[in-house]
Amino acid sequence: YNFINCPLCPSTRMSYAIDFGTSNTVITRWNPATQQPETLTLPGISLKMGQNPPLIPSLVYVENAAQQQVVIGQQVRDRALDIAGETRFFRNFKRGIGSNVQGFLPELDGQVIQFEQVGEWFLKQVITELQKTDPAIKDSIVFTVPVDSFEAYRLWLGRVCEALDLNQVRMLDEPTAAAL
């Protein structure tokens, strides 16, 4: 996400943007001190390869669904939990959020799993890790939103942000974010 000339991003404080992607998630912020955008690394869950920006693999492994204990991002790979066919391992789950067709989803630990729940666990963990580096994350955040399922996805994301007690949330459709 490019904050330069972005009317949504006040330059007087740190503003964050999260591009929650199907394969990878990127977090950036505008730093008012340097007047530059920064792509953030979250220790343990981000992957940094060469000169590429740090990415968080959009992966979730459910350790205990009833207690909402999950492992996300690069930790899933580092702990070798990304085994194809493992019912506790989720990838590409963003595609199912807001979709009427959920496909086969397992019941784990007495809980019926939905893609929306997996996505909420993922974002909750990302925000929790981000708050460790900057508690002010709750003050201003921009999320990108896919156009193809915009309304249903936007409603889901709004509920997630409400549950996370985020103060100021803006949603920007992905094509507009890419253009900015």
Side-chain angles (χ1 to χ4, degrees), residues 64-157:
N64 188 314
Q67 296 178 6
Q68 300 187 18
Q69 294 175 335
V70 298
V71 177
I72 68 162
Q74 186 59 32
Q75 287 179 344
V76 174
R77 289 185 180 147
D78 291 347
R79 292 177 50 187
L81 300 171
D82 55 339
I83 301 168
E86 166 60 59
T87 58
R88 292 182 176 274
F89 171 61
F90 294 88
R91 71 166 20 126
N92 300 323
F93 53 90
K94 181 184 172 192
R95 290 181 181 161
I97 296 172
S99 170
N100 293 332
V101 180
Q102 293 282 306
F104 171 76
L105 287 167
E107 182 176 313
L108 300 174
D109 308 311
Q111 303 290 315
V112 177
I113 303 299
Q114 299 290 318
F115 288 121
E116 288 82 1
Q117 181 62 63
V118 176
E120 182 175 344
W121 286 332
F122 179 81
L123 286 179
K124 182 178 181 182
Q125 198 72 16
V126 166
I127 297 294
T128 298
E129 291 302 313
L130 191 52
Q131 283 179 309
K132 290 178 183 177
T133 62
D134 184 2
I137 178 67
K138 292 180 136 194
D139 293 338
S140 181
I141 191 164
V142 177
F143 284 98
T144 59
V145 180
V147 172
D148 56 347
S149 62
F150 184 77
E151 194 62 30
Y153 186 92
R154 187 182 65 78
L155 290 172
W156 165 79
L157 185 56

Side-chain angles (χ1 to χ4, degrees), residues 144-179:
T144 59
V145 180
V147 172
D148 56 347
S149 62
F150 184 77
E151 194 62 30
Y153 186 92
R154 187 182 65 78
L155 290 172
W156 165 79
L157 185 56
R159 286 191 300 270
V160 170
C161 291
E162 213 171 273
L164 291 171
D165 196 30
L166 299 174
N167 297 331
Q168 185 177 48
V169 176
R170 294 182 178 106
M171 296 182 201
L172 190 62
D173 66 273
E174 290 171 348
T176 301

